[in-house]
Amino acid sequence: MTTSNQKIIYTITDEAPALATHSLLPIVRSFAAAAGIEVETSDISVAARVLASFPERLSEDQRVPDSLAELGALTQSPDANIIKLPNISASVPQLRAAIAELQSQGYNVPDFPEEPKTDEEKDIRARYGKILGSAVNPVLREGNSDRRAPAAVKAFARKFPHSMGKWSKASQSHADYMRGGDFFSSEQSVTMADAGDVRIEFVGKDGNVEVKKELSLQAGEVFDGMFMSAKKLREFFEGTLNDCKETGVMWSLHVKATMMKVSHPIVFGHAVTVYYKDLFDKWGATFEEIGVNPNNGLSSVYDKIKQLPESQQEEILQDIHDCYAERPEMAMVDSVKGITNLHIPSDVIVDASMPAMIRNSGQMWGRDGKQKDTKAVMPESTYARIYQEVINFCKTNGAFDPTTMGTVPNVGLMAQKAEEYGSHDKTFEMKADGTMRVVNAATGEVLMQHEVEKGDIWRACQTKDAPIRDWVKLAVNRARNSDTPAIFWLDPERAHDMQLKAKVEEYLKEHDLSGLDIRIQDYNGAIRESMERAIRGQDTISVTGNVLRDYLTDLFPIMELGTSAKMLSIVPLMAGGGMYETGAGGSAPKHVQQLVEENHLRWDSLGEFLALAASLDEMGMKYDNPSARILGQALDKATGHILENNKSPSRKVGELDNRGSHFYLALYWAQELANQTDNTELAKVFKPLADQMTANEAKIVAELASVQGKPVEIGGYYHADPAKASEVMRPSATLNNLLDSLSV
Amino acid sequence: MTTSNQKIIYTITDEAPALATHSLLPIVRSFAAAAGIEVETSDISVAARVLASFPERLSEDQRVPDSLAELGALTQSPDANIIKLPNISASVPQLRAAIAELQSQGYNVPDFPEEPKTDEEKDIRARYGKILGSAVNPVLREGNSDRRAPAAVKAFARKFPHSMGKWSKASQSHADYMRGGDFFSSEQSVTMADAGDVRIEFVGKDGNVEVKKELSLQAGEVFDGMFMSAKKLREFFEGTLNDCKETGVMWSLHVKATMMKVSHPIVFGHAVTVYYKDLFDKWGATFEEIGVNPNNGLSSVYDKIKQLPESQQEEILQDIHDCYAERPEMAMVDSVKGITNLHIPSDVIVDASMPAMIRNSGQMWGRDGKQKDTKAVMPESTYARIYQEVINFCKTNGAFDPTTMGTVPNVGLMAQKAEEYGSHDKTFEMKADGTMRVVNAATGEVLMQHEVEKGDIWRACQTKDAPIRDWVKLAVNRARNSDTPAIFWLDPERAHDMQLKAKVEEYLKEHDLSGLDIRIQDYNGAIRESMERAIRGQDTISVTGNVLRDYLTDLFPIMELGTSAKMLSIVPLMAGGGMYETGAGGSAPKHVQQLVEENHLRWDSLGEFLALAASLDEMGMKYDNPSARILGQALDKATGHILENNKSPSRKVGELDNRGSHFYLALYWAQELANQTDNTELAKVFKPLADQMTANEAKIVAELASVQGKPVEIGGYYHADPAKASEVMRPSATLNNLLDSLSV
């Protein structure tokens, strides 16, 4: 690494994005150099991480640094500027394949020990363990979340809008949620004055105390406890079903069992056993015997009854059928395949399914494959309310119009696992009636307590102080830099939010707020204001907690852009640096296969373009480097031209692919730089390149196209040969020469 | 008149309220005297006003003062405290009858000259002219409006709630309004820097200028111009009809042709000719010939076609019938009689019909007499939006619950004819395409202009500065005195409201706002906030312009109390005094008839009770007379007991009547005063009375009941004999003696 501060770390990852990097990076490096910015790489691919884990087994020249550890350390530096491309979250089979490939290339890395026995095997297993799964994000996500629609993407959506279903003023669709008995109604919250340990305890009716969990909390940490009554939840479900039966509106359930991975499967299970009440009443004992788990959806019934005699299976299937006659129509996830809303818990994920429904005239699909007005059942009222607000808004004002609507970027609290509700280690399903309480271990003080009943779901939530302070700073910075009003979504009726509000008001004082419009509003007020502004073409930053961050960064992007995949996702690191995440589409193994077979890479580097533009802009601001800002802004415009002129990669061999889209990016970027008048030096530098590229457009495109259609060899899948990959990814001599000329 | 400032002027009016006064006033006088307050009367009955008009024809002892003129003068005094009872708005037949009665009593007043010829007759006619119609209100309403649900009435409604229709979350009902082309979209507004004259002009396509109106404006006066496009209006109506046809939702129109008496009949007429388009297309020429005016509703067709041959009438009726098949179902005003929403323009008055619909599950009645979900069509978006907000709110939260909901009193701008939209002398239906403009007569400056088309409705509106300043003061006073947040409803998208906002912000500075919660919000935000607070049991003062005053003082009272008739209506006079209006039920001629025939007066003096309580309370504050405040508060509680114990007058002879309810008022009032501990002096004074009344309850009620069932003689209808009327209205010697004992 060099000593210059003005440095972008571009991550080398896996598969398609890694291949695309061979083509894109030379362009980026050439352009960035004009602003005095170096672009370094950091290889955090699975293969590199394997190699870095066993230096003692490799020859000197085979060894690689532990880049992920270095990057992790870098997140603590104010100078960090990291472009983070999608990488493989390796499963065991993937890891095995990578190991085999490396071994075949002459690297003496050990086999993956399935069942380690010796100390050596255990050590190896432990080292590989650190590479498995989503190992990268926890190391790098040392900040809160800044998500926004980049200007180029927004402009494109305005010009070429996605389809939006018309809303009828007479729509019967609505959101339905509990009015008591849910987490919202029972939430209690404290802020720790000093650091200390707390115990989460259950006190039985017999007075016995069971410690469920012990936690060390920081000074200033916000700690919440809350529960959902199983009885009230079941009554609520029954009520919604009867209401649908009466009104003829279709019934649908929207939870987030993937994120709220302890609480929401239970909630989902209650929905299943209430909807199919007659079935479970009749077969309850049998189901228990054969291991049916309603929390896994009705699919669990279909699955488990296979062990029963044929005739009994038929009877059960008939009983399921009878439930449909008794109950209101249910929304389908896949009406062709007959997959209902209650089939498996991960099928309807509220943050995606609700925007889809809202975009689709407030309707979902029925058993007959037709769109219908729907009751969207979301038990927990805390967040469900915002969807009812949106639905009322659409009934009143019609569907959002992507061609005119403003944008609602998000600043989300997430650093250091802030507000991780419902998941993980602090959610409990009550096994008996009693009292749940949180006790200060040092003083014995009861910080909060709830009377609970068997089946109730109790959960706690932690939010550390430093992330909140950073979140406030981020919100102010975003408001300042984008000259946009920012609304803190804090509900006066939520105990947790009132703890946060006190901190927000305190930490806002640390900033210069002159000329800024920063407000604190309850959720309904905040979303209403954001929508009222949006339909008038005005932008509003939503500054929210973690769950709303998750929900809103789907909701508004889907309305504005038709997808949340085109959002720019920045993690401004708490230490002062920045990480720019590119895309959420995974690392695309099928793309690699197509390249190897047809020499066509359909990977779209849009996410990289967007991240780079933001990274350059930030660098320009941080180091008072106007050239960097101009580079970033020109890149954003160039990305806009890519979109508008349809120069994104095609899926079909022979047409423009990833490399071609990179050429056009370079062309437009150079043109924008040559034509801008803010920095004539920079314009002068890029003028010849722009002219040459413009003149050679047809030639370069032809050179890029001419190589397609034949198999190529890149020397590896997980660990390709850099020279070979580079050669494959840079087949236009004309383009390469032009880029070289700039660097000179 | 005496010289004491602490004086209530109790108006003597006509018919039932005047009779009731003979019973109530002695009670009031006795009680008020305890706080050193005099109660004087001022006879503004039709008869008194006739007598006052012809002093030269009467003997000295027959002469009466011109009380109305005196009262008018009194409104300019800061000490005015006037209880204004309902009076006759005399028609010519009523006036004739009054004259005849006075003549028969020996008063030499002249006959009413139908067609005055001589100068003398003309003079007589002119004098009588001043007595005709609604002559009293314009003289007395020298202030803005303060309307609220008195504590006693609110408490009663909470304890004995009226019925409220359940709201379905799946309701299809909604409000529909124009999105452009209406008054809202075209409103322009100026504030006059100096006093001066303006001309409202129409400039034709040929350049000819037609002066439509000349006006003298005051310095600081706000002047608005706006128009509604007839073409857009008709397109809008057609769209709403097609939408209803498609969705199966019933169609209904809500306008206010009685108040917006120039603009809204025209709007109504367009609705008629659009709904019955085929009919008017086919018969247009014939209808014109026979004088059909669609602005008078379809009834005009039924009415005028009677002059056509039988066979043609039948054809027209068939064509009307065919329209119903073509068009969506229309809401009925009277489904039994087959009276539709479009029959006559005064049948569906928005400020009453919308609350009725909202109270009725958002439904209206169809042709089959069944309740149905409804599209409430209200073309002008300015105010229609608030109803959609209420509808969305009820869909989300269910019907309002009168037992728990807070109250929304109103402080309304109305003094000096502020914001008199759509009526009278500044509304014009365009006869040709051209330009409407408002020109400063002195400078020739064009203050505003609109391009208009034939058929468009243009109107202007005036709001003087002093009433605005007074309105702000009233709002602050109400917020202070009731310790209630106040919201100024001012819409940032309305030109007029932005002129007002500047003044409001200016005039708020004249007051001590410490500890007060005074906000300015747009209409949707204001009503939403008021509703959110209301369902949490919190009160919110709505501070609004004239039209919203009219709408909201029906909307919230109907939700809260089931009727707007039980509202307290105060006109705090701009000069500093107060006028307390009692009830809106008219002066009830049938009640007099029943009294004369059966000696049973079913008039309910509830309005008088409420007004008196407010009047006493205000007097107490103004003159730092704590006894008066205690009297007022005790009276309010006594009124509560009347309601709760069902001691209001019955309609049936032999049961408790007006006099009996007055006894109970006195009883409860005395008890409350005896039992209060804030003023022991006062308690001591009323203790014996309370004890005696309690002891003699059965006896007094029996005495009051014993006289019923026989005819009585009161010596006149318009000009009863005071002694006779008093004797009839005070038949309980026991009660009379007890009251006398207090006065001693």
Side-chain angles (χ1 to χ4, degrees):
Chain A
M1 291 196 189
T2 72
T3 51
S4 158
N5 286 334
Q6 299 200 36
K7 194 170 57 185
I8 290 172
I9 309 296
Y10 200 95
T11 54
I12 306 294
T13 58
D14 309 285
E15 298 174 334
L19 288 170
T21 297
H22 285 288
S23 158
L24 183 58
L25 195 58
I27 297 171
V28 174
R29 277 191 161 134
S30 304
F31 279 63
I37 293 170
E38 256 188 90
V39 182
E40 271 190 17
T41 60
S42 171
D43 189 346
I44 55 168
S45 65
V46 170
R49 283 182 284 143
V50 169
L51 293 177
S53 300
F54 301 96
E56 77 282 6
R57 291 170 172 259
L58 304 179
S59 66
E60 192 104 358
D61 65 315
Q62 283 182 326
R63 287 185 197 153
V64 300
D66 186 351
S67 300
L68 184 57
E70 286 176 6
L71 272 191
L74 184 61
T75 62
Q76 304 303 318
S77 154
D79 290 323
N81 187 315
I82 304 166
I83 308 285
K84 158 68 179 64
L85 276 71
N87 66 300
I88 292 177
S89 292
S91 62
V92 171
Q94 283 175 308
L95 182 56
R96 279 226 183 84
I99 293 165
E101 182 177 313
L102 287 168
Q103 291 169 339
S104 77
Q105 291 172 343
Y107 295 91
N108 182 30
V109 291
D111 287 339
F112 179 83
E114 192 73 58
E115 295 175 1
K117 278 166 198 140
T118 66
D119 280 355
E120 196 200 348
E121 282 174 352
K122 282 178 188 162
D123 172 55
I124 294 169
R125 179 65 182 77
R127 296 201 210 179
Y128 278 135
K130 290 184 186 157
I131 300 168
L132 283 169
S134 180
V136 173
N137 280 342
V139 177
L140 302 184
R141 281 194 173 172
E142 272 294 312
N144 290 301
S145 158
D146 167 11
R147 291 202 184 181
R148 33 181 148 129
V153 170
K154 185 72 184 165
F156 176 71
R158 284 199 164 140
K159 211 157 175 178
F160 303 97
H162 50 281
S163 66
M164 291 286 277
K166 196 172 172 278
W167 268 82
S168 167
K169 290 183 168 56
S171 167
Q172 296 189 289
S173 291
H174 59 272
D176 206 351
Y177 42 91
M178 294 171 76
R179 308 290 171 142
D182 62 344
F183 294 120
F184 174 75
S185 350
S186 61
E187 189 178 80
Q188 297 180 37
S189 184
V190 292
T191 300
M192 298 296 287
D194 307 300
D197 296 345
V198 298
R199 291 193 310 272
I200 299 173
E201 300 176 340
F202 173 77
V203 187
K205 288 289 175 192
D206 54 6
N208 282 342
V209 176
E210 178 198 349
V211 176
K212 311 283 280 188
K213 184 90 189 169
E214 290 176 291
L215 294 160
S216 292
L217 303 183
Q218 299 179 357
E221 185 158 359
V222 177
F223 191 83
D224 318 320
M226 66 207 84
F227 78 103
M228 178 174 272
S229 157
K231 199 167 81 186
K232 291 274 174 61
L233 174 65
R234 296 183 66 84
E235 283 169 8
F236 165 72
F237 280 136
E238 185 70 36
T240 62
L241 290 165
N242 294 337
D243 188 43
C244 281
K245 190 79 183 175
E246 212 172 278
T247 58
V249 168
M250 196 161 63
W251 189 92
S252 72
L253 180 70
H254 303 257
V255 292
K256 183 139 191 181
T258 51
M259 185 195 202
M260 315 286 195
K261 61 189 178 191
V262 178
S263 61
H264 274 196
I266 302 171
V267 169
F268 187 84
H270 283 296
V272 171
T273 54
V274 173
Y275 188 98
Y276 300 99
K277 190 171 178 301
D278 292 349
L279 177 76
F280 281 85
D281 279 354
K282 178 171 169 187
W283 297 96
T286 312
F287 284 176
E288 198 149 325
E289 230 165 79
I290 61 175
V292 165
N293 182 357
N295 296 7
N296 294 337
L298 194 69
S299 64
S300 176
V301 174
Y302 287 117
D303 193 29
K304 299 295 184 185
I305 61 170
K306 285 177 190 149
Q307 48 195 298
L308 297 176
E310 196 87 9
S311 67
Q312 221 171 3
Q313 287 187 41
E314 272 170 30
E315 197 181 335
I316 291 170
L317 293 176
Q318 182 57 48
D319 288 341
I320 292 175
H321 190 80
D322 290 350
C323 286
Y324 293 121
E326 184 65 29
R327 289 306 198 181
E329 184 171 10
M330 190 183 350
M332 305 299 277
V333 167
D334 186 334
S335 58
V336 177
K337 292 186 185 152
I339 305 293
T340 73
N341 206 216
L342 292 178
H343 197 68
I344 47 169
S346 58
D347 262 354
V348 181
I349 300 173
V350 53
D351 54 323
S353 61
M354 284 307 299
M357 171 177 153
I358 292 162
R359 195 185 149 187
N360 190 41
S361 311
Q363 299 185 317
M364 295 185 74
W365 279 266
R367 190 162 281 269
D368 55 6
K370 287 185 183 145
Q371 287 188 210
K372 286 163 198 185
D373 285 352
T374 303
K375 180 193 280 287
V377 175
M378 291 171 281
E380 165 68 352
S381 63
T382 318
Y383 308 109
R385 288 176 293 162
I386 68 167
Y387 293 110
Q388 174 70 357
E389 193 72 32
V390 177
I391 288 170
N392 282 337
F393 193 82
C394 290
K395 283 184 194 174
T396 301
N397 299 295
F400 286 99
D401 180 354
T403 67
T404 56
M405 77 183 288
T407 185
V408 181
N410 178 266
V411 171
L413 179 58
M414 76 171 189
Q416 301 179 352
K417 298 189 180 172
E419 295 186 3
E420 286 278 354
Y421 291 102
S423 42
H424 325 118
D425 56 350
K426 288 181 293 291
T427 303
F428 310 98
E429 189 175 18
M430 298 294 103
K431 298 196 191 80
D433 295 6
T435 305
M436 281 294 290
R437 68 187 187 193
V438 178
V439 181
N440 184 321
T443 64
E445 185 195 357
V446 175
L447 299 176
M448 59 186 69
Q449 63 177 20
H450 294 103
E451 297 305 307
V452 291
E453 295 179 317
K454 187 181 173 192
D456 291 354
I457 308 165
W458 191 97
R459 71 186 189 194
C461 162
Q462 293 171 257
T463 314
K464 301 196 195 310
D465 183 58
I468 297 169
R469 192 171 187 166
D470 176 79
W471 173 61
V472 172
K473 187 180 94 182
L474 179 55
V476 173
N477 285 346
R478 288 302 309 144
R480 173 74 65 198
N481 293 337
S482 61
D483 194 18
T484 302
I487 302 177
F488 280 87
W489 295 38
L490 293 171
D491 200 298
E493 297 190 343
R494 276 194 69 189
H496 169 80
D497 283 13
M498 286 305 91
Q499 299 291 321
L500 253 62
K501 185 165 179 265
K503 286 176 180 282
V504 168
E505 285 168 348
E506 187 62 28
Y507 294 144
L508 278 174
K509 292 181 193 152
E510 298 175 352
H511 303 279
D512 169 19
L513 305 180
S514 58
L516 299 185
D517 179 356
I518 294 188
R519 313 174 205 175
I520 296 178
Q521 281 188 275
D522 65 285
Y523 300 167
N524 278 342
I527 198 163
R528 177 66 177 272
E529 176 72 8
S530 303
M531 292 188 294
E532 294 281 3
R533 290 177 53 84
I535 62 170
R536 289 162 176 81
Q538 298 163 336
D539 307 335
T540 316
I541 300 169
S542 63
V543 189
T544 70
N546 187 40
V547 177
L548 283 169
R549 170 196 64 78
D550 191 52
Y551 289 11
L552 296 187
T553 55
D554 272 319
L555 177 61
F556 283 106
I558 287 174
M559 300 300 135
E560 294 176 34
L561 315 173
T563 168
S564 56
K566 289 182 182 166
M567 290 291 274
L568 181 61
S569 174
I570 305 177
V571 182
L573 301 166
M574 286 172 61
M579 179 172 72
Y580 305 84
E581 298 182 328
T582 83
S587 43
K590 282 198 177 162
H591 292 203
V592 183
Q593 197 184 339
Q594 189 183 19
L595 176 81
V596 172
E597 288 170 6
E598 302 182 334
N599 198 5
H600 178 96
L601 185 66
R602 67 175 188 252
W603 176 257
D604 187 347
S605 304
L606 176 67
E608 284 78 83
F609 304 163
L610 301 172
L612 267 165
S615 151
L616 286 164
D617 196 50
E618 170 66 22
M619 183 147 289
M621 287 192 281
K622 191 184 267 175
Y623 301 105
D624 194 19
N625 179 345
S627 297
R629 293 206 73 179
I630 287 168
L631 271 183
Q633 286 153 10
L635 175 53
D636 210 28
K637 283 182 190 153
T639 307
H641 297 316
I642 293 270
L643 292 169
E644 286 181 22
N645 299 335
N646 197 19
K647 298 301 183 190
S648 301
S650 153
R651 301 172 64 87
K652 281 203 341 220
V653 66
E655 297 181 353
L656 199 77
D657 80 343
N658 175 269
R659 296 163 290 194
S661 83
H662 292 169
F663 159 64
Y664 276 104
L665 183 81
L667 171 66
Y668 297 143
W669 196 0
Q671 286 173 342
E672 284 294 337
L673 288 165
N675 293 335
Q676 55 80 28
T677 53
D678 291 332
N679 185 328
T680 48
E681 277 301 303
L682 216 52
K684 225 179 281 171
V685 171
F686 283 95
K687 181 75 169 64
L689 181 68
D691 290 345
Q692 287 294 310
M693 282 187 162
T694 307
N696 288 285
E697 174 181 350
K699 190 176 173 202
I700 293 169
V701 170
E703 287 174 359
L704 291 172
S706 67
V707 299
Q708 290 195 35
K710 298 173 284 274
V712 288
E713 172 52 43
I714 53 172
Y717 183 91
Y718 291 96
H719 192 239
D721 180 327
K724 284 185 183 165
S726 179
E727 205 188 317
V728 167
M729 290 304 296
R730 304 189 70 199
S732 166
T734 310
L735 174 58
N736 298 347
N737 290 336
L738 284 174
L739 288 172
D740 287 348
S741 73
L742 188 70
S743 309
V744 172
Chain B
M1 290 195 189
T2 73
T3 51
S4 158
N5 285 335
Q6 299 199 36
K7 193 170 59 185
I8 291 172
I9 309 295
Y10 200 95
T11 52
I12 305 295
T13 57
D14 309 285
E15 298 174 334
L19 287 170
T21 298
H22 284 288
S23 158
L24 182 58
L25 195 57
I27 297 172
V28 173
R29 277 190 162 134
S30 302
F31 278 64
I37 293 169
E38 256 188 88
V39 181
E40 271 192 14
T41 59
S42 171
D43 190 345
I44 55 169
S45 64
V46 170
R49 284 183 282 144
V50 169
L51 293 177
S53 300
F54 300 98
E56 76 281 7
R57 292 171 171 258
L58 304 179
S59 65
E60 192 105 356
D61 63 317
Q62 283 180 326
R63 287 185 197 154
V64 300
D66 186 350
S67 299
L68 184 57
E70 286 175 6
L71 271 190
L74 184 61
T75 62
Q76 305 303 319
S77 153
D79 290 324
N81 187 316
I82 304 166
I83 308 286
K84 158 69 179 64
L85 277 70
N87 67 299
I88 292 178
S89 290
S91 62
V92 170
Q94 284 176 305
L95 183 56
R96 279 227 182 83
I99 293 165
E101 182 177 314
L102 287 168
Q103 290 171 338
S104 78
Q105 291 173 343
Y107 295 91
N108 183 29
V109 291
D111 287 338
F112 180 82
E114 190 74 60
E115 294 175 3
K117 278 166 199 141
T118 65
D119 280 355
E120 196 200 347
E121 282 173 354
K122 282 177 188 163
D123 172 55
I124 293 170
R125 177 67 181 77
R127 295 200 209 180
Y128 279 135
K130 290 186 184 155
I131 301 170
L132 282 170
S134 181
V136 173
N137 280 341
V139 177
L140 302 184
R141 280 194 173 172
E142 272 293 312
N144 289 302
S145 157
D146 167 10
R147 291 202 184 180
R148 33 183 147 129
V153 170
K154 185 71 182 163
F156 177 70
R158 284 199 164 141
K159 210 157 174 179
F160 304 97
H162 50 280
S163 68
M164 292 286 277
K166 196 172 171 280
W167 268 82
S168 168
K169 290 182 167 56
S171 166
Q172 297 190 288
S173 291
H174 59 273
D176 206 351
Y177 42 91
M178 293 172 76
R179 307 292 172 141
D182 62 343
F183 294 120
F184 174 74
S185 351
S186 61
E187 188 179 80
Q188 297 180 37
S189 184
V190 292
T191 299
M192 298 298 287
D194 307 299
D197 295 345
V198 298
R199 291 193 310 271
I200 300 172
E201 299 176 341
F202 173 77
V203 187
K205 290 287 175 193
D206 54 6
N208 281 344
V209 177
E210 176 199 351
V211 176
K212 310 283 280 188
K213 183 92 191 167
E214 291 177 289
L215 293 160
S216 292
L217 303 182
Q218 299 179 357
E221 184 158 359
V222 177
F223 190 82
D224 318 320
M226 67 206 84
F227 77 102
M228 178 174 272
S229 157
K231 200 167 80 186
K232 291 275 173 61
L233 175 65
R234 295 183 66 84
E235 284 168 9
F236 165 73
F237 280 137
E238 185 69 35
T240 61
L241 290 165
N242 294 337
D243 188 43
C244 281
K245 191 78 184 176
E246 213 171 277
T247 57
V249 168
M250 196 161 64
W251 188 92
S252 71
L253 180 70
H254 303 257
V255 291
K256 182 138 192 180
T258 49
M259 185 193 202
M260 315 287 195
K261 62 190 178 191
V262 178
S263 60
H264 274 196
I266 301 170
V267 169
F268 186 85
H270 284 295
V272 170
T273 54
V274 173
Y275 188 99
Y276 300 99
K277 190 172 178 302
D278 293 348
L279 177 77
F280 281 84
D281 280 355
K282 179 172 169 187
W283 297 97
T286 312
F287 284 175
E288 199 149 325
E289 230 165 81
I290 61 175
V292 166
N293 182 359
N295 296 7
N296 293 338
L298 195 71
S299 64
S300 175
V301 174
Y302 287 118
D303 192 31
K304 300 294 183 186
I305 61 172
K306 285 178 189 146
Q307 49 195 298
L308 295 176
E310 195 87 9
S311 67
Q312 221 171 5
Q313 286 189 41
E314 271 169 31
E315 199 181 335
I316 290 170
L317 292 176
Q318 182 57 48
D319 288 341
I320 291 175
H321 190 81
D322 290 350
C323 286
Y324 293 120
E326 186 65 29
R327 289 304 198 183
E329 184 171 10
M330 190 185 346
M332 304 299 276
V333 168
D334 186 334
S335 57
V336 177
K337 293 187 183 149
I339 305 294
T340 74
N341 207 215
L342 291 177
H343 197 69
I344 47 169
S346 57
D347 261 354
V348 181
I349 299 171
V350 54
D351 54 323
S353 60
M354 284 307 299
M357 172 178 153
I358 292 162
R359 195 185 150 188
N360 191 40
S361 310
Q363 300 185 317
M364 295 186 73
W365 278 266
R367 191 163 280 268
D368 54 7
K370 287 185 181 145
Q371 287 187 209
K372 286 162 199 184
D373 286 352
T374 303
K375 181 192 281 286
V377 175
M378 290 170 281
E380 164 68 352
S381 63
T382 318
Y383 308 109
R385 289 177 292 161
I386 68 166
Y387 293 110
Q388 175 69 356
E389 193 72 32
V390 177
I391 288 170
N392 282 337
F393 193 82
C394 290
K395 283 184 194 175
T396 301
N397 299 295
F400 286 99
D401 179 353
T403 65
T404 57
M405 78 182 290
T407 186
V408 181
N410 179 267
V411 171
L413 179 58
M414 75 171 190
Q416 299 178 355
K417 296 188 183 174
E419 296 186 4
E420 286 278 355
Y421 291 101
S423 42
H424 327 327
D425 55 350
K426 291 180 290 291
T427 303
F428 310 99
E429 189 175 18
M430 298 294 103
K431 297 195 194 81
D433 294 4
T435 304
M436 282 294 289
R437 67 186 187 194
V438 179
V439 181
N440 184 322
T443 64
E445 184 196 357
V446 175
L447 299 175
M448 59 186 69
Q449 64 178 19
H450 294 102
E451 296 305 307
V452 292
E453 295 179 316
K454 186 184 173 191
D456 291 354
I457 308 164
W458 191 96
R459 71 186 189 193
C461 162
Q462 292 171 256
T463 314
K464 300 195 195 312
D465 184 57
I468 297 170
R469 193 171 188 166
D470 175 79
W471 174 60
V472 171
K473 186 180 95 182
L474 179 55
V476 173
N477 285 346
R478 287 303 306 143
R480 174 74 66 199
N481 293 338
S482 61
D483 194 17
T484 302
I487 302 177
F488 280 87
W489 294 39
L490 293 170
D491 200 299
E493 297 190 343
R494 278 194 67 189
H496 168 80
D497 282 14
M498 285 305 92
Q499 299 291 321
L500 252 61
K501 183 163 180 267
K503 287 177 180 279
V504 168
E505 285 168 347
E506 187 62 28
Y507 294 143
L508 277 174
K509 292 180 194 151
E510 298 175 352
H511 304 278
D512 170 19
L513 304 180
S514 58
L516 298 186
D517 180 355
I518 295 189
R519 313 174 205 175
I520 296 178
Q521 282 188 273
D522 65 284
Y523 300 166
N524 278 343
I527 198 163
R528 177 65 176 271
E529 176 73 8
S530 303
M531 291 188 295
E532 294 280 2
R533 290 176 53 83
I535 63 170
R536 289 163 177 80
Q538 297 163 337
D539 306 336
T540 317
I541 300 169
S542 63
V543 189
T544 70
N546 186 40
V547 178
L548 284 170
R549 171 197 63 78
D550 191 51
Y551 290 10
L552 296 186
T553 54
D554 271 320
L555 178 60
F556 283 106
I558 287 174
M559 300 301 135
E560 294 176 33
L561 315 173
T563 168
S564 56
K566 290 182 182 169
M567 291 291 275
L568 181 62
S569 174
I570 305 177
V571 183
L573 301 166
M574 286 173 62
M579 179 171 73
Y580 305 84
E581 297 182 329
T582 83
S587 43
K590 282 201 175 160
H591 292 203
V592 183
Q593 194 184 338
Q594 189 183 18
L595 176 81
V596 171
E597 288 170 6
E598 301 182 335
N599 198 4
H600 178 97
L601 185 65
R602 66 175 189 252
W603 175 258
D604 187 347
S605 303
L606 176 67
E608 283 78 85
F609 303 163
L610 301 172
L612 267 166
S615 151
L616 286 164
D617 195 48
E618 170 66 22
M619 183 148 290
M621 287 192 282
K622 189 184 269 174
Y623 300 105
D624 194 19
N625 178 347
S627 297
R629 292 207 72 180
I630 287 169
L631 269 183
Q633 286 153 10
L635 174 53
D636 211 28
K637 283 183 191 152
T639 306
H641 298 315
I642 293 270
L643 291 168
E644 286 182 22
N645 299 335
N646 197 20
K647 299 301 183 191
S648 299
S650 154
R651 300 173 65 88
K652 283 203 339 221
V653 65
E655 298 181 355
L656 199 76
D657 81 343
N658 175 268
R659 297 164 287 192
S661 84
H662 291 169
F663 160 64
Y664 276 103
L665 183 82
L667 171 66
Y668 297 143
W669 197 0
Q671 285 173 344
E672 285 294 337
L673 287 165
N675 293 334
Q676 55 80 28
T677 54
D678 291 331
N679 186 328
T680 48
E681 276 303 303
L682 216 52
K684 225 179 282 172
V685 170
F686 283 94
K687 180 77 168 62
L689 182 67
D691 290 345
Q692 286 296 311
M693 282 187 162
T694 308
N696 287 285
E697 174 181 347
K699 189 176 173 201
I700 293 169
V701 171
E703 286 174 1
L704 291 172
S706 68
V707 300
Q708 290 196 35
K710 299 174 281 277
V712 288
E713 173 52 42
I714 52 174
Y717 183 91
Y718 291 96
H719 192 240
D721 179 329
K724 283 185 184 167
S726 179
E727 202 186 321
V728 166
M729 289 304 296
R730 305 187 71 197
S732 166
T734 309
L735 174 59
N736 298 348
N737 288 336
L738 284 174
L739 289 171
D740 287 349
S741 74
L742 188 69
S743 310
V744 173

